[in-house]
Structure formats: C-alpha cells, structure tokens
Amino acid sequence: MTIVRAEIHINSVVWQMLPGTTIADLRISSFSDGTSAVLDTALAAIKAQGATAIVLDLRDNPGGLLNEAEGVASRFLTGGDVWRKRISTGISKKTRF
C-alpha cells in the first residue's frame, strides 16, 4: 500500500443571495493566497446579480496572510489605515488608500 499526499483546495470565498432579497451573503473563511483576487470575482458576480447590500461573514476566520487581509479590507474601506505596526522608534502606519 502506498500513501500519496494530495493538495486540498478550500474555497476561501463563497457567497449566495439571501432568498427573497437583494442581499448577498459573502463568507471569507481565511485570508489565504489569492483570496483578494477571488473576492474581486465574487464581488463582480454579486453586482451582476443586482445585490443592493452585502453581509460580510468573517466568523471563524483564523486569519492568514497579511497582504491578503489588507487586500480584502481595501475592497470595503474608503480611507484611513488598514493596519498599524508599532515599532520601538514610534508607530509606522500602513495605508492602502
């Protein structure tokens, strides 16, 4: 018997329209490699379906890659800091907008 290791791909972004509404339920399960690109595809599909609002579900999201979390946040925030890093010489701010 041989055991073969396989890659398991989990969709980090899934969505659905809430029945009888124009509200999209968008779930992001982790900030893994490519999440912000997949989110762009989902947001385009949501818009094409005529959604007027989005419920952003981040429950049980364990986190992940900082650049992906920043990319996701930049799709929803209109200004300001996405994150801040405190260093010994002061505060260094990172802003995407």
Side-chain angles (χ1 to χ4, degrees), residues 15-50:
W15 71 276
Q16 65 178 354
M17 294 297 291
L18 296 177
T21 72
T22 58
I23 300 171
D25 179 21
L26 175 66
R27 170 139 174 71
I28 301 176
S29 60
S30 67
F31 299 111
S32 57
D33 190 34
T35 297
S36 56
V38 174
L39 176 62
D40 287 339
T41 302
L43 290 173
I46 287 169
K47 185 176 180 180
Q49 288 289 317

Side-chain angles (χ1 to χ4, degrees), residues 2 8-9 18 21 23 26-27 29 31 42-43 47 49 54 59 64 67 70 75-76 80 83 90 95-96:
T2 303
I8 299 173
H9 296 283
L18 296 177
T21 72
I23 300 171
L26 175 66
R27 170 139 174 71
S29 60
F31 299 111
L43 290 173
K47 185 176 180 180
Q49 288 289 317
I54 296 174
R59 290 175 296 167
N67 64 317
E70 183 178 7
R75 283 11 178 232
F76 297 100
W83 58 271
T95 304
R96 284 285 287 194

Side-chain angles (χ1 to χ4, degrees), residues 67-85:
N67 64 317
E68 292 296 338
E70 183 178 7
V72 167
S74 70
R75 283 11 178 232
F76 297 100
L77 302 176
T78 58
D81 296 334
V82 174
W83 58 271
R84 291 183 185 196
K85 178 180 178 182

